[in-house]
Amino acid sequence: MPNYRRAYVPGGTYFLTISTESRIPLFADTANVTRLRRALEIVRAEQPFEVVAAVVLPDHMHFIWALPRGDAGFSKRVGRMKVLFTRALPATGTQRQLASPSRTAHRESGVWQRRFWEHVIRDEQDLERHVDYIHYNPVKHRLATCPHAWAASSFRQCSRKGWYELDWGCSCRGPAVGSLDFADMASTVGE
């Protein structure tokens, strides 16, 4: 087994990729997106941090979280969010159906992949690139034609802050303007 180590940087800003088990499209159901938002808000109330950017796709999500000074506990927050979301799912047996025998033996649900991907944001340019990646992700996956058309995203909030023009990456009036190629980020996004 590889000796994997997470990069814990107190007060760091982290890009995260979190996926459902076997890429099951749980978040195609807007009720599950609402459950996820509630779980995230509970975690933020218990252990404050800033959500810089976010997008929730049917089978995975990306976040950028900025932790408080001296705090490197992003992993605990991710774990808590997963638990809260899983507990909020209706008791339909879906979790048991998704769980493998190994997961059942370890009292785990079959909702989430065991691991998630993190990348420590290094500087402003790295932050901007990852925020762009997050907001363009629904277009990349052909779930929306424009970033503003995807509801489960922080794009509109970031646009209101002045980070984007509302038509950034937009193809509503023809092809998207500019190059939105993220091939250089393959090692940092975990997809």
Side-chain angles (χ1 to χ4, degrees):
M1 176 180 241
N3 188 11
Y4 179 78
R5 293 193 180 142
R6 294 212 178 270
Y8 291 102
V9 176
T13 299
Y14 297 89
F15 172 89
L16 305 166
T17 299
I18 305 165
S19 300
T20 61
E21 179 64 25
S22 302
R23 294 292 186 133
I24 295 166
L26 288 175
F27 298 103
D29 180 347
T30 57
N32 285 337
V33 175
T34 300
R35 288 181 185 97
L36 180 69
R37 284 184 174 138
R38 285 187 196 131
L40 185 60
E41 287 309 310
I42 291 169
V43 174
R44 288 182 68 209
E46 293 172 351
Q47 301 174 50
F49 63 97
E50 178 188 358
V51 177
V52 177
V55 67
V56 179
L57 303 173
D59 61 359
H60 71 285
M61 61 202 67
H62 299 290
F63 293 108
I64 296 178
W65 291 355
L67 300 186
R69 184 185 204 109
D71 188 340
F74 68 90
S75 193
K76 288 181 182 179
R77 288 171 171 91
V78 169
R80 179 79 172 132
M81 180 185 72
K82 286 179 172 184
V83 166
L84 290 169
F85 171 80
T86 303
R87 287 180 182 164
L89 287 173
T92 61
T94 303
Q95 297 167 35
R96 284 186 296 283
Q97 290 172 355
L98 300 175
S100 67
S102 172
R103 286 182 175 274
T104 302
H106 289 94
R107 296 180 47 193
E108 296 175 348
S109 73
V111 174
W112 301 102
Q113 283 186 1
R114 283 184 173 149
R115 297 188 184 266
F116 61 92
W117 185 267
E118 98 279 345
H119 165 75
V120 179
I121 300 295
R122 297 180 302 266
D123 55 31
E124 282 298 315
Q125 183 179 2
D126 194 32
L127 175 64
E128 287 177 26
R129 191 81 171 124
H130 281 83
V131 170
D132 288 352
Y133 180 85
I134 282 174
H135 292 131
Y136 199 71
N137 212 244
V139 178
K140 173 190 165 208
H141 287 284
R142 298 177 184 198
L143 298 167
T145 57
C146 306
H148 68 81
W150 191 252
S153 167
S154 59
F155 180 78
R156 287 189 197 100
Q157 293 149 328
C158 291
S159 186
R160 283 192 295 271
K161 291 178 184 177
W163 295 6
Y164 295 101
E165 294 295 322
L166 198 54
D167 63 355
W168 177 86
C170 187
S171 61
C172 290
R173 295 183 193 107
V177 178
S179 174
L180 296 173
D181 180 12
F182 297 98
D184 60 318
M185 294 177 57
S187 66
T188 67
V189 296
E191 274 196 274

